[in-house]
Amino acid sequence: MTMLEVRDLTVTYRYGGASLAAVRSVGFTLDGGEILGVAGESGSGKSTMALSLVRLLPPGAGITGQVLFHGEDLTTATWGKLRAVRWAQASLVFQGAMNALNPVRSVGEQIAEPIRLHERVDHRAIGRRVADLLDSVGVSSRRASAYPHELSGGQRQRVMIAMALACRPDLIIADEPTTALDVMVQAQILQLLTDLVAQSDIAVIMISHDLAMLADTCDRLAVMYAGRLVESGPAGQVFAEPRHPYTQALSRAFPRVGDPTSRRAPASLPGEPPALGAVGDGCAFAPRCSLVMPDCLTRDIEPWPSGPGREAACLLVLPDPAVVGEDGPRVGERHPRVGASD
Ligand code: ADP
Ligand code: MG
């Protein structure tokens, strides 16, 4: 059974009387031992998608579709079930470890906390687990008694990863885990995550705005724009031969791994993503697309096969964009897709 299968996931936030979609009809699958990279500019819905997988959304947010984790739909799971899943089976690593760690408790105590909450283990065994966890993320176990401010930024991010690993999860969702770190430390942290995946059967969803960095670290890439998955496929291919014009612009924006200069505004891509709710019937990327065609302003297709194991939501991947028949792709939002992609 596939570890994680996301189908037609849509997430809305409430603005006054309106519910505006921040994630629109997203679908993908993920197996143990795989790293899926999720790329896209700031505001494209990456964090919302990540949080919705384990239903950590703020009050008022709405979620439809399915998140099948080991076959069980988390969008309708009870709170008791969700509590058990968080930490114990699926855990999150956020950006900005300094803010996420408690400044007045030692890092060892903080790593021990999820173990204490979710498992019946005695004091000594917990101490050993904490020491092992610190070792596995490359922090000396003697540092267990240190407070967050006594550690470097990279060490704190390693501690966050140790916390995420504490209850031996199957799935780690890492939301821009290295954004606040310098390039050398970023590379080390990413290497650590890839080693952990290689050694175990953990699956990782790695979120970043930096496509080149993800192409280097991940098995598969998924690119988000205005809440939709516009392209997905094997990481190297998606980066080297992008099919969607948005991915093409992103890959030009991040020619090198961890390029810090092009973080928020890709130089080759003028303009900004649309505001929530400002997406009409056409493709959300059309206003910024250098290859835009008249049809793009009225038609927004679902992700469609664009090569072996690849999909792109762009009319350009269709053999003949003018043809939409029985066998053609459905239009995006009005006929949300139900199948999974891989
Ligand atoms: P990313 O992680 O790709 O930067 P986000 O998921 O944070 O994107 O944001 C997607 C969109 O949802 C943005 O327009 C953002 O302003 C909006 N958004 C994010 N969090 C909330 C929230 N708690 N309430 C309302 N809108 C939100
Ligand atoms: Mg984010």
mmCIF file of all heavy atoms in Angstrom, residues 43 46-48 95 175-176 207, ligand 2:
data_model
loop_
_atom_site.group_PDB
_atom_site.id
_atom_site.type_symbol
_atom_site.label_atom_id
_atom_site.label_comp_id
_atom_site.label_asym_id
_atom_site.label_seq_id
_atom_site.Cartn_x
_atom_site.Cartn_y
_atom_site.Cartn_z
ATOM 1 N N GLY A 43 3.999 32.135 -1.042
ATOM 2 C CA GLY A 43 2.576 32.377 -1.251
ATOM 3 C C GLY A 43 1.903 31.378 -2.175
ATOM 4 O O GLY A 43 0.713 31.469 -2.435
ATOM 5 N N LYS A 46 2.526 26.179 -0.340
ATOM 6 C CA LYS A 46 3.321 25.037 0.105
ATOM 7 C C LYS A 46 3.078 24.717 1.583
ATOM 8 O O LYS A 46 2.811 23.571 1.948
ATOM 9 C CB LYS A 46 4.813 25.302 -0.129
ATOM 10 C CG LYS A 46 5.157 25.664 -1.569
ATOM 11 C CD LYS A 46 6.655 25.896 -1.767
ATOM 12 C CE LYS A 46 7.271 27.015 -0.952
ATOM 13 N NZ LYS A 46 6.711 28.344 -1.274
ATOM 14 N N SER A 47 3.172 25.738 2.434
ATOM 15 C CA SER A 47 2.989 25.496 3.871
ATOM 16 C C SER A 47 1.560 25.072 4.178
ATOM 17 O O SER A 47 1.334 24.186 5.013
ATOM 18 C CB SER A 47 3.328 26.756 4.682
ATOM 19 O OG SER A 47 4.691 27.059 4.543
ATOM 20 N N THR A 48 0.605 25.700 3.513
ATOM 21 C CA THR A 48 -0.801 25.334 3.730
ATOM 22 C C THR A 48 -1.021 23.870 3.388
ATOM 23 O O THR A 48 -1.663 23.125 4.146
ATOM 24 C CB THR A 48 -1.720 26.224 2.870
ATOM 25 O OG1 THR A 48 -1.488 27.587 3.216
ATOM 26 C CG2 THR A 48 -3.178 25.877 3.083
ATOM 27 N N GLN A 95 10.757 25.865 9.508
ATOM 28 C CA GLN A 95 11.875 26.775 9.363
ATOM 29 C C GLN A 95 12.040 27.568 10.659
ATOM 30 O O GLN A 95 11.133 27.633 11.470
ATOM 31 C CB GLN A 95 11.663 27.712 8.181
ATOM 32 C CG GLN A 95 10.498 28.648 8.317
ATOM 33 C CD GLN A 95 10.201 29.359 6.990
ATOM 34 O OE1 GLN A 95 9.439 28.898 6.173
ATOM 35 N NE2 GLN A 95 10.830 30.483 6.797
ATOM 36 N N ASP A 175 9.365 21.811 6.217
ATOM 37 C CA ASP A 175 8.926 23.045 5.544
ATOM 38 C C ASP A 175 10.049 24.078 5.604
ATOM 39 O O ASP A 175 10.287 24.689 6.631
ATOM 40 C CB ASP A 175 7.663 23.581 6.219
ATOM 41 C CG ASP A 175 7.036 24.727 5.418
ATOM 42 O OD1 ASP A 175 7.613 25.111 4.380
ATOM 43 O OD2 ASP A 175 5.980 25.226 5.840
ATOM 44 N N GLU A 176 10.736 24.264 4.497
ATOM 45 C CA GLU A 176 11.880 25.164 4.393
ATOM 46 C C GLU A 176 12.826 24.977 5.579
ATOM 47 O O GLU A 176 13.135 25.939 6.287
ATOM 48 C CB GLU A 176 11.413 26.628 4.303
ATOM 49 C CG GLU A 176 10.302 26.799 3.277
ATOM 50 C CD GLU A 176 10.540 27.891 2.259
ATOM 51 O OE1 GLU A 176 11.688 28.342 2.146
ATOM 52 O OE2 GLU A 176 9.586 28.265 1.573
ATOM 53 N N ILE A 207 10.072 20.928 1.506
ATOM 54 C CA ILE A 207 9.506 22.123 0.877
ATOM 55 C C ILE A 207 10.558 23.212 0.785
ATOM 56 O O ILE A 207 11.296 23.447 1.753
ATOM 57 C CB ILE A 207 8.303 22.617 1.712
ATOM 58 C CG1 ILE A 207 7.209 21.546 1.677
ATOM 59 C CG2 ILE A 207 7.789 23.954 1.196
ATOM 60 C CD1 ILE A 207 6.063 21.829 2.617
HETATM 61 MG MG MG B 2 5.721 28.529 3.549
#
